[in-house]
Amino acid sequence: MKRPLVVANWKMNTSLSDAVILANSIKNSVHDLDAEIVLCPPFVWLYPVLEELEKRPKNLHLGAQNMWFTSSGPMTGEISPVMLKSLVKYVIIGHSERRKNFNETNDLVNDKVQSALENGLTPLLCVGEMKKMAEFTEEKRGRGRPFKADTKFDLMTQLLAGLNGVSKDDAEKVIICYEPVWAISKGNAESRNAADGGYANAVAQKIRNALAKKYGANTAERMTVIYGGSVDEDNIKEFIYQPEINGALVGGASLKTREFVKICREAAGRG
Ligand code: PGA
């Protein structure tokens, strides 16, 4: 069995002191867990969080929420992989909020994935559909018609375009984050709308089948596919025991130490 991976996406949240306190309390609570844990603070808090995590357990890592794909140059406001690689091991690429709000295209996402790999960073490639796929809903799972969307938010287009030009060896270094856009919380409890575990697993299976077609069954089997979208302490169990899901990408619930640690413990089978 793959070691579960839990990624905390803090998005544009936390003050400097919140970030340091959160990192510190997570550090003190996850050392005994059989899971890899990645904290992705806002760019400006990466360095102070890294300092806070100086003596951290081996299973706790840092990640960035985004990057540009060239090494340096006239790109006001952007951060390069060369800058990031001395601070982080992971980088989130193609999050739906960036695809939606910053018009990131599949080609740009692919440039970023390739550049992350060239720079020794582990890309967390996010893919996800805008609307629930009828074929996998509880009523129609297994029968209905495939969902058609514009290709920017077409799951398979995102997956295959994101991995364009990525070799079989490098593919194993890419983490696929399946995040249905409709399931991502809007930052408050009322808007929580996670996929059900069966749906998420069915789509993860579809993703793995596409990976098998592209890279062969063994490579696809070794790749890590995680679920994200309103994961919390109450529903993590629903996802973590699905055969095709190897972990979780957690947004809102990663900002509360107690809840995030509980999610990590459940993911590690220690809930
Ligand atoms: P959420 O965010 O857990 O708040 O839904 C997940 C994400 O967008 O990465």
Side-chain angles (χ1 to χ4, degrees):
M1 235 193 69
K2 261 181 234 108
R3 211 164 140 85
L5 174 73
V6 184
V7 181
N9 179 9
W10 293 356
K11 306 193 181 183
M12 197 174 70
N13 294 301
T14 65
S15 65
L16 173 57
S17 59
D18 290 343
V20 170
I21 292 168
L22 188 55
N24 176 275
S25 45
I26 292 169
K27 173 178 82 175
N28 293 328
S29 315
V30 297
H31 59 277
D32 60 335
L33 297 184
D34 190 15
E36 299 299 322
I37 293 147
V38 182
L39 306 184
C40 302
F43 280 133
V44 284
W45 308 150
L46 275 176
Y47 192 72
V49 168
L50 179 69
E51 283 197 314
E52 185 60 37
L53 296 184
E54 202 193 359
K55 291 201 183 79
R56 65 183 181 273
K58 281 203 180 65
N59 62 336
L60 182 59
H61 313 275
L62 260 192
Q65 297 177 16
N66 178 37
M67 59 169 235
W68 191 245
F69 66 95
T70 53
S71 310
S72 63
M75 269 297 155
T76 304
E78 288 295 330
I79 309 282
S80 89
V82 177
M83 295 164 178
L84 284 178
K85 69 184 178 187
S86 57
L87 303 175
V88 306
K89 184 169 169 210
Y90 293 82
V91 56
I92 297 174
I93 291 179
H95 191 282
S96 60
E97 287 153 13
R98 295 212 57 90
R99 293 180 191 259
K100 262 194 304 188
N101 303 329
F102 300 93
N103 284 321
E104 290 203 3
T105 63
N106 283 314
D107 285 348
L108 178 62
V109 169
N110 178 242
D111 284 339
K112 293 184 178 192
V113 168
Q114 297 212 38
S115 169
L117 289 166
E118 279 160 23
N119 284 283
L121 294 165
T122 299
L124 295 150
L125 169 60
C126 297
V127 298
E129 76 284 3
M130 284 297 258
K131 289 189 188 146
K132 226 177 235 193
M133 290 187 258
E135 63 192 301
F136 295 134
T137 53
E138 214 146 311
E139 316 81 64
K140 290 194 186 157
R141 207 172 287 150
R143 344 186 221 122
R145 68 214 141 76
F147 173 72
K148 296 254 188 318
D150 78 68
T151 55
K152 197 164 161 220
F153 278 96
D154 176 68
L155 180 83
M156 282 301 131
T157 309
Q158 287 183 344
L159 180 72
L160 297 174
L163 292 169
N164 196 22
V166 174
S167 70
K168 194 175 156 114
D169 283 350
D170 276 347
E172 288 189 35
K173 299 175 195 151
V174 180
I175 313 281
I176 307 296
C177 306
Y178 167 52
E179 292 211 303
V181 181
W182 52 267
I184 292 177
S185 68
K186 310 283 180 300
N188 61 61
E190 292 75 49
S191 64
R192 296 217 155 168
N193 190 25
D196 71 82
Y199 177 98
N201 189 63
V203 181
Q205 167 97 67
K206 184 180 163 97
I207 289 173
R208 214 178 289 277
N209 289 346
L211 295 172
K213 204 162 162 212
K214 185 171 168 72
Y215 294 115
N218 290 342
T219 300
E221 189 45 44
R222 283 196 292 270
M223 288 179 73
T224 297
V225 179
I226 65 177
Y227 168 80
S230 298
V231 171
D232 61 24
E233 60 185 333
D234 299 323
N235 65 22
I236 178 66
K237 274 204 181 104
E238 206 179 313
F239 302 108
I240 206 68
Y241 296 113
Q242 301 289 344
E244 298 299 336
I245 297 176
N246 311 121
L249 176 48
V250 188
S254 71
L255 294 165
K256 293 170 235 147
T257 306
R258 196 201 50 77
E259 181 161 20
F260 183 65
V261 169
K262 182 149 186 248
I263 291 170
C264 294
R265 296 193 78 79
E266 292 284 3
R270 301 277 298 272

